[in-house]
């Protein structure tokens, strides 16, 4: 079973818009949601599922809105939460920003979307590109624009329209990896506390007709199944696919086979749990002089291949909240003080692998502050390295099969980004 009704509330708990799908839960039950939430907040026990009698509230918060689903049955909670996040995604596609004002300005469109996205409490058409074919933001044009439902809604391939034509058939594949939760304690010998890689494969498809695509990766499980063990392989965990991928085929022989959506889409995401050395290593030394001034020296070193270059590097160094009179000296790039965030932001546009750069900052300290009270926030680093994946994942092939037999060009690009990339210093 799924949701009985969907509500969109403002921060005070006022209902902005709602849709009753099954009629088995009193719509007035939503009045209890805000008081339950405040009670849980006071007790420090905020829970994603709350109950009032036999009615359960499943909710998420986005911007200045609460999206709430109600049910009085033993519903599939993961399905409901997936739908609520999909709702946010579709509304954002339509209105650019999802907030109270965008809901109030687009009541008609929101009602129509709620009608199409779910039927009798079960998710239906949730692809925003297909929805945009027959639910437009120009309400006046709606009656004459399309009088019949597109075939994609009732089609077996609901994510792709028929009759698509391109003069030049191409598909662009982006393999994007983020180094996440990298917490490095910098001491005498420097040690990595935890690290993992979160990756995604994104497509931009410009192909005519209804092509079938087959994607091959250097997947260790696939190589083991086929008896090949040459070259570097990767073990992917928490793999999540777009609905177009044939899961039964993947589970049987690890082949990623699919009819792609037109345009841009995320084909899959994955996680690789592995020890990763920091691609940009940071060392910092902080010296305080009789509580009147502080000097910070930061050294950044690129620990990736010399032929690679990190672009738009940002090193964010926390400084005392009462610091003033900043002075900077950098061996490359430029540094600036951001007082509202108590940070020094050191920006390096181009950072080649194997290089080392220095930044020195000098601040005055007009007051005597307790160091322990402020704590020692981590240094955060942002960067992007094109043509490089830290995990070593590779696209081995992309086969494009279409009944008309046209030739198509696949293009592959690799990018590594910083995710939640933090380095702590105990100096």
């Amino acid at each position: 079973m799924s949701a009985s009704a969907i509500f969109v509330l403002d921060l005070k708990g006022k209902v902005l818009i709602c849709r009753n799908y099954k009629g088995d839960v009193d719509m007035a039950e939503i009045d209890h949601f805000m008081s339950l939430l405040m009670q849980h907040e006071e007790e420090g026990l905020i829970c994603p599922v709350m109950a009032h009698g036999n009615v359960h509230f499943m909710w998420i918060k986005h911007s200045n809105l609460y999206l709430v689903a109600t049910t009085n049955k033993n519903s599939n909670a993961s399905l409901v939460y997936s739908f609520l996040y999909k709702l946010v995604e579709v509304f954002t596609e339509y209105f650019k920003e999802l907030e109270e004002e965008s809901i109030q300005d687009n009541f008609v469109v929101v009602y129509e979307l709620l009608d199409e996205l779910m039927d009798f409490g079960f998710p239906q058409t949730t692809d925003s590109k297909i929805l945009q074919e027959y639910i437009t933001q120009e309400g006046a044009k709606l009656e004459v624009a399309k009088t019949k439902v597109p075939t994609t809604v009732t089609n077996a391939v609901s994510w792709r329209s028929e009759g698509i034509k391109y003069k030049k058939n191409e598909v662009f594949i982006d393999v994007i990896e983020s180094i996440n939760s990298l917490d490095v304690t910098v001491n005498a010998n420097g040690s990595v506390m935890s690290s993992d890689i979160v990756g995604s494969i994104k497509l931009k498809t410009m192909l005519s007709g209804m092509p079938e695509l087959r994607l091959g990766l250097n997947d260790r499980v696939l190589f083991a199944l086929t008896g090949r063990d040459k070259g570097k392989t990767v073990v992917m965990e928490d793999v999540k696919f777009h609905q177009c991928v044939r899961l039964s085929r993947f589970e049987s022989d690890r082949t990623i086979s699919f009819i792609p959506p037109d345009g841009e889409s995320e084909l899959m995401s994955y996680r690789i749990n592995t020890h990763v050395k920091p691609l940009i290593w940071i060392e910092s030394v902080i010296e305080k002089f009789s509580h009147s001034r502080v000097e910070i020296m930061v050294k950044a070193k690129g620990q990736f291949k010399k032929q690679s270059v990190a672009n738009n590097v940002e090193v964010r160094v926390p400084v005392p909240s009462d610091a003033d009179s900043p002075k900077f000296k950098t061996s490359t790039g430029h540094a600036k003080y951001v007082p509202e965030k108590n940070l020094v932001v050191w920006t390096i546009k181009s950072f080649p692998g194997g290089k080392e750069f220095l930044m020195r900052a000098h601040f005055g300290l007009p007051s005597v502050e307790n160091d322990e009270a402020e704590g020692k926030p981590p240094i955060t680093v942002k960067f992007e390295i094109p043509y490089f994946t830290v995990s070593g994942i590779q696209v081995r092939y992309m086969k494009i099969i279409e009944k008309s037999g046209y030739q198509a060009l696949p293009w592959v690009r690799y990018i590594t980004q910083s995710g939640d990339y933090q380095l702590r210093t105990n100096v």
Side-chain angles (χ1 to χ4, degrees):
M1 300 297 290
S2 191
S4 297
I6 298 289
F7 297 85
V8 180
L9 314 179
D10 65 12
L11 290 177
K12 293 178 181 177
K14 178 187 170 187
V15 177
L16 300 175
I17 201 163
C18 60
R19 179 72 169 83
N20 189 355
Y21 291 104
K22 297 172 73 175
D24 60 347
V25 171
D26 186 349
M27 297 295 276
E29 287 286 340
I30 195 65
D31 296 340
H32 301 289
F33 171 77
M34 211 63 202
S35 56
L36 278 170
L37 184 62
M38 290 171 72
Q39 181 187 330
H40 282 226
E41 280 181 349
E42 285 171 10
E43 295 169 357
L45 299 168
I46 294 181
C47 180
V49 181
M50 300 185 297
H52 178 260
N54 67 340
V55 177
H56 290 83
F57 301 100
M58 287 173 270
W59 62 280
I60 62 171
K61 185 181 179 184
H62 179 85
S63 185
N64 56 356
L65 298 171
Y66 290 104
L67 285 83
V68 186
T70 59
T71 181
N72 60 0
K73 300 287 194 301
N74 184 18
S75 296
N76 183 337
S78 60
L79 175 67
V80 175
Y81 278 106
S82 294
F83 179 78
L84 290 176
Y85 283 108
K86 192 68 184 178
L87 208 58
V88 170
E89 188 182 313
V90 170
F91 286 164
T92 306
E93 286 276 336
Y94 266 82
F95 314 131
K96 304 303 178 197
E97 293 288 335
L98 176 56
E99 51 192 31
E100 185 179 340
E101 191 178 343
S102 56
I103 295 290
Q104 290 172 337
D105 291 347
N106 297 280
F107 270 130
V108 175
V109 177
V110 173
Y111 267 120
E112 292 190 37
L113 287 170
L114 289 174
D115 271 345
E116 295 297 334
L117 284 159
M118 183 171 270
D119 186 28
F120 199 66
F122 290 93
Q124 298 298 309
T125 305
T126 57
D127 192 304
S128 57
K129 287 178 185 171
I130 302 303
L131 288 165
Q132 283 168 358
E133 288 187 23
Y134 63 104
I135 296 180
T136 65
Q137 283 173 287
E138 295 83 19
K141 293 183 182 177
L142 197 62
E143 293 175 14
V144 292
K146 286 223 173 185
T147 54
K148 67 173 186 175
V149 176
T151 53
T152 44
V153 176
T154 53
N155 197 0
V157 184
S158 62
W159 54 87
R160 185 180 178 88
S161 302
E162 293 180 357
I164 296 170
K165 288 184 180 178
Y166 286 98
K167 286 184 179 178
K168 189 177 182 183
N169 292 289
E170 296 177 302
V171 57
F172 296 88
I173 307 161
D174 279 351
V175 181
I176 302 170
E177 290 190 341
S178 298
I179 303 174
N180 262 3
S181 307
L182 188 63
D183 197 353
V184 181
T185 302
V186 182
N187 48 29
N189 56 355
S191 57
V192 178
M193 303 298 288
S194 65
S195 66
D196 66 3
I197 300 162
V198 174
S200 64
I201 297 180
K202 298 188 177 182
L203 300 179
K204 184 176 181 183
T205 310
M206 294 187 288
L207 298 171
S208 305
M210 279 281 182
E212 174 157 338
L213 276 59
R214 288 178 196 158
L215 177 69
L217 304 171
N218 56 334
D219 176 9
R220 187 170 299 173
V221 178
L222 171 64
F223 278 41
L225 282 171
T226 55
R228 290 177 292 176
D229 57 358
K230 292 180 180 178
K232 185 173 182 180
T233 57
V234 295
V235 178
M236 296 183 292
E237 299 176 26
D238 298 341
V239 179
K240 187 172 79 173
F241 289 110
H242 186 279
Q243 61 178 345
C244 66
V245 175
R246 296 184 178 90
L247 293 180
S248 55
R249 182 84 187 268
F250 179 76
E251 286 165 5
S252 64
D253 62 10
R254 306 290 284 192
T255 299
I256 303 171
S257 173
F258 58 98
I259 294 172
D262 188 43
E264 295 181 5
S265 61
E266 181 173 291
L267 178 68
M268 63 180 286
S269 61
Y270 59 89
R271 183 175 63 84
I272 297 175
N273 193 5
T274 182
H275 178 88
V276 183
K277 71 175 182 179
L279 295 180
I280 295 180
W281 179 258
I282 301 292
E283 289 179 27
S284 69
V285 177
I286 301 169
E287 284 187 88
K288 289 190 177 182
F289 299 90
S290 64
H291 291 286
S292 62
R293 61 191 175 94
V294 62
E295 287 187 4
I296 302 169
M297 189 276 288
V298 178
K299 181 167 77 172
K301 182 180 180 182
Q303 297 193 133
F304 48 92
K305 295 176 182 176
K306 289 184 178 179
Q307 58 265 40
S308 295
V309 176
N311 296 329
N312 305 316
V313 177
E314 266 190 17
V315 182
R316 297 178 170 229
V317 184
V319 297
S321 56
D322 58 338
D324 65 6
S325 310
K327 293 177 185 174
F328 303 109
K329 188 176 181 182
T330 61
S331 60
T332 189
H334 67 276
K336 68 174 181 179
Y337 177 43
V338 186
E340 62 272 18
K341 294 183 179 178
N342 300 323
L343 288 175
V344 171
V345 180
W346 178 20
T347 306
I348 303 168
K349 199 168 184 181
S350 181
F351 196 133
K355 293 285 185 181
E356 240 179 57
F357 299 114
L358 282 172
M359 186 271 291
R360 293 180 186 273
H362 179 281
F363 288 91
L365 288 176
S367 64
V368 178
E369 286 282 338
N370 185 352
D371 293 346
E372 296 301 319
E374 286 208 357
K376 293 180 179 177
I379 295 171
T380 59
V381 186
K382 290 187 175 182
F383 59 85
E384 182 173 292
I385 307 174
Y387 319 114
F388 174 80
T389 57
V390 69
S391 70
I393 195 169
Q394 292 175 351
V395 175
R396 292 174 47 247
Y397 63 83
M398 168 67 88
K399 292 179 181 175
I400 302 164
I401 304 156
E402 213 278 331
K403 60 185 178 184
S404 64
Y406 61 68
Q407 294 295 309
L409 294 170
W411 303 89
V412 184
R413 181 173 60 170
Y414 299 95
I415 303 168
T416 292
Q417 298 172 336
S418 56
D420 181 13
Y421 193 97
Q422 300 184 347
L423 299 102
R424 295 183 185 274
T425 175
N426 57 9
V427 178

